[in-house]
Amino acid sequence: MKVCIVGGVAGGAGAATRLRRLDEEAQIILFERGEYISYANCGLPYYIGKEITKKEALLVTKPELLESRFRIDVRTMSEVVAIHRAEKIITVKNHVTGETYQESYDKLVLAPGAAPKRLPAEGADLPGIFSVRTVNNTLAIDDYLEKNKSSSAVVVGGGFIGVEMAENLSRRGLKVTLVELANQILPPLDLEMANILHREMLEKGISLKLNTGVEKLEQSETGLTVRLSDGTKLPADMVVLALGVSPESGLAKEAGLALSVGGSILTDENFRTSDQNIYAVGDAISIINGVSGKEALIPLAGPANRQGRSVAGNLLGKNSSNGKQVYGSSVVRVFDYVAASVGMNEKQLLREGTAYHKTYVHPNSHAGYYPGAKQISLKMLFDPQGVILGAQAVGVDGVEKQIDVIATAMKFHGTVYDLEELELCYAPPFNSAKSPVNLLGFTAANILKGDMPVFYAEDVPKLDRERVTVLDVSTPPEIKMGTLPDSINIPLDDLRGRLNELDPQKPVYLTCRVGLRGNVAARILLQHGYQAYNLSGGYKTYSLLNLDLGRIGPKASQKCRADGISLEVDARGLQCPAPICKVEEGMRKLRDGERLHISASDPAFGSDMEAWCDKTGNTLIERGSNHGVFEAVLEKGKK
Ligand SMILES: Cc1cc2nc3c(=O)[nH]c(=O)nc-3n(C[C@H](O)[C@H](O)[C@H](O)COP(=O)(O)OP(=O)(O)OC[C@H]3O[C@@H](n4cnc5c(N)ncnc54)[C@H](O)[C@@H]3O)c2cc1C
C-alpha cells in the first residue's frame, strides 16, 4: 500500500510513524510545505520569551530519523497543490527547485493544520506585523526584536496564543498591550474566572484593552501605530496578530471533498473524508464535541496527535477508538497563574439553550497546614441528572490536575455523584483528604439533592431587599474587607443564638467568603423552617464577577520591600477567616506608626487589605505578590 501524507507535524508525522510500526511493507511519503517537520508549535511562544533558548529544542524529530528509523520518505519544502481524486494522484510543488511533479497514492492522509486568521483591517501586512505558527515565523520575530531593539508590542487577540505571546514578550522586556474584541481573554473560560487572569496580567504590567477592536495599522516614523475602535492610537515597535485559526482546507475544497463547520474537512468517526481513499486529521477537520454531540472546531495538539495515531490503524482496517469525540481539555500559563478547562462553559451552554446547574469552590491546592498551599478557584457545570458538562480552574498550583481528573470522568460519562466518590491520592504536600474535585462533587450533589439551595453572584443585584434578607455570616473583620450590598452580618458561630433577628417570612440569601460557612448557615436555617439560599463560591466569586479592572495597575515590586516591620504574620495556607483575624490580632498589639507584614495565599488578599485599611483607619504601605503568595505591609493608624 502506498500512503501519501500531507503535513508533517502533529497529525501527519504521528500518522506516518504509527503506520510504519503497524505495517513494515507500506510505502509512506510525508510531504511538508515548510523547512521543518514535527516541530513544537506549542513551544514557539516560549522561544520568544527566552525560556526555550535553543532552536533545536523546537525540532522534536528530524527528517533523517524518520528516514533511518521508520523508512519514511520525508519531503520537506514540498507543497501538495492539487488532488486528482479520480486518478488517485497528487501534484506536488518543490519550493527549492520550483519543480512540480505528480505522485500516485493508494491512500491519502490530509494533516495540513490550521492557518492564523487574518485581520480584516488596513495595514495588516506592514513590516513588523507577525503571526505565530511555524518555527520560521518565530525566528523572524526573534530576529526582528533583536535587530530593531524593540521595546513595545501590541498583541491583537486574547486566545491561548495571544496570551502566551503577551506574557513572553513581556518577559523579554517589552511593554505589551493586549487588545481583545470580547470582554475577556481566553474564550474557554467564563468572565469571572478570566478576571483572575485579567488581574494577574494587569499586575504584571500588561496593558489590557478589552471590548476593543483594531481598525487600522499604520507605519509611523518610529515604528507602527495601531488605531483602535475606541479612538486610541497605540504606538508599537511590533504587532503580533493572534486572532485564532481557520482550518487549512483549501486543498480539500478544491478537490471537492465535503466540508463542515468553519470550512473544516468533514470526516466520519474513522477520519475518512467523503472520498473513501482520503483521510484527514488534526486542526483541519471538525470533531464531535463530546458534550453537545455536534460537529465543532477544537484545534489542539492532543487531539491532532491522537487522531494521527488512530488514522494509521484505520488505514489498515483496524477498529478506530472513538477519537473524533473531543472535550477540549486545555491549559495555559499566565505569569504566576495557570488556567485549565474542559468541556463547555456557561456562555456556550446558554447559547445552546442547554439546561445546566453550576457550582464554585475555592479550596487550597493541598492541605492548608502544610507549607506552600495556594488557592484554586474552580467552577463546574452539570446537567439536572448530574452529568458533568464542563469545568474551569484558575490558580497557581495543582490546577491542571483537577481538570485532568474531571476530563477523565467526562470521557467515561461521569456524574457529579461519581466525583463525590472519587478516591484520589492524598498526603499533605500533594492534596487535601477531600480533594478540590471531591468538593466540586459534594457541592454539586448538594445542589441537585436540594441539600444546599444556591443562588449566584449575578443574582445579587436582582434581590429585592424589601422581600428578602441578605445575610453575611463572615466575621466582622472580614466584613470590613467587603460584603454584598445591603447585607446584614451575623457571624456563623452566633447564628443559632440570634435567629430572632431574622424575619421568618423572608427568604434568607446567605454569603460568606467562599461559600463554606454559608452552607452551614443554610443548613441551620433550613432546619429551623427558613427558606435559605447560599451564594455559590461566596463573596469571592461575587467580587471576581464584579472586579473593577480600572483600579488594578502594575505592581512594581514582586516582594514587599518596606522596612521597619515590627510584626510578621504568616497566614499562608490558612482559610478564611484566619488570615484577617490574624491581621486584626496583630494590629491590636502595635502602636501607632508601627508596621505589620502579612503573607497569605488568597490571591484577592491585596485588594481585601485595601478595603480593610480604608474601613479601619490604618494605612496600606505596600503590597506585592510572588508565585501566588500575597503580601502586604500595613502601618497602624492613618498616615
Ligand atoms: C504558537 C502555538 C502554540 C500552541 N500551543 C498549544 C498548546 O499549548 N496546547 C495545544 O494543545 N495546542 C497548541 N497549539 C495548537 C497545536 O499546535 C495544533 O493543534 C496542532 O499542531 C495541530 O496539528 P496538525 O497536524 O493538525 O497541524 P500543524 O501542526 O499545524 O501541521 C500542519 C503542517 O502541514 C503543513 N501543510 C499545510 N498544507 C500543506 C500542503 N498543502 N502541503 C504540504 N504541507 C502542508 C504546514 O506547513 C504545517 O507544518 C499551538 C499552536 C501554535 C501555533
Side-chain angles (χ1 to χ4, degrees), residues 92-132:
V92 185
K93 176 158 186 165
N94 182 324
H95 284 296
V96 178
T97 60
E99 170 208 7
T100 296
Y101 62 96
Q102 296 200 319
E103 195 68 61
S104 66
Y105 63 83
D106 295 319
K107 302 282 176 200
L108 179 66
V109 178
L110 303 178
K117 283 188 182 154
R118 291 177 58 79
L119 180 71
E122 198 183 320
D125 295 322
L126 287 168
I129 301 177
F130 299 90
S131 300
V132 195

Side-chain angles (χ1 to χ4, degrees), residues 309-322:
R309 183 177 187 276
S310 164
V311 80
N314 298 347
L315 287 167
L316 299 170
K318 292 186 188 283
N319 284 343
S320 161
S321 61
N322 194 11

Side-chain angles (χ1 to χ4, degrees), residues 5-14 30-46 75 77-82 91-93 95 110-116 131-134 137-138 160-162 164-165 245 248 251 281-285 298-305 307 329-332:
I5 300 175
V6 183
V9 190
L30 184 67
F31 296 94
E32 168 53 52
R33 179 173 58 195
E35 198 179 337
Y36 306 104
I37 57 154
S38 205
Y39 53 85
N41 333 44
C42 312
L44 300 177
Y46 304 96
R75 302 190 192 167
M77 301 300 284
S78 301
E79 181 170 5
V80 175
V81 290
T91 303
V92 185
K93 176 158 186 165
H95 284 296
L110 303 178
S131 300
V132 195
R133 180 182 182 188
T134 63
N137 293 149
T138 310
F160 289 121
I161 296 176
E164 287 176 350
M165 282 305 290
V245 294
E248 276 231 16
L251 196 58
V281 293
D283 285 1
I285 69 165
I298 302 186
L300 289 170
N305 274 281
Q307 290 161 11
S329 306
S330 61
V331 61
V332 62

Side-chain angles (χ1 to χ4, degrees), residues 356-377:
Y356 68 90
H357 297 279
K358 59 177 173 171
T359 186
Y360 297 89
V361 294
H362 305 277
N364 275 324
S365 53
H366 61 246
Y369 60 82
Y370 184 86
K374 312 275 168 58
Q375 196 172 54
I376 309 178
S377 292

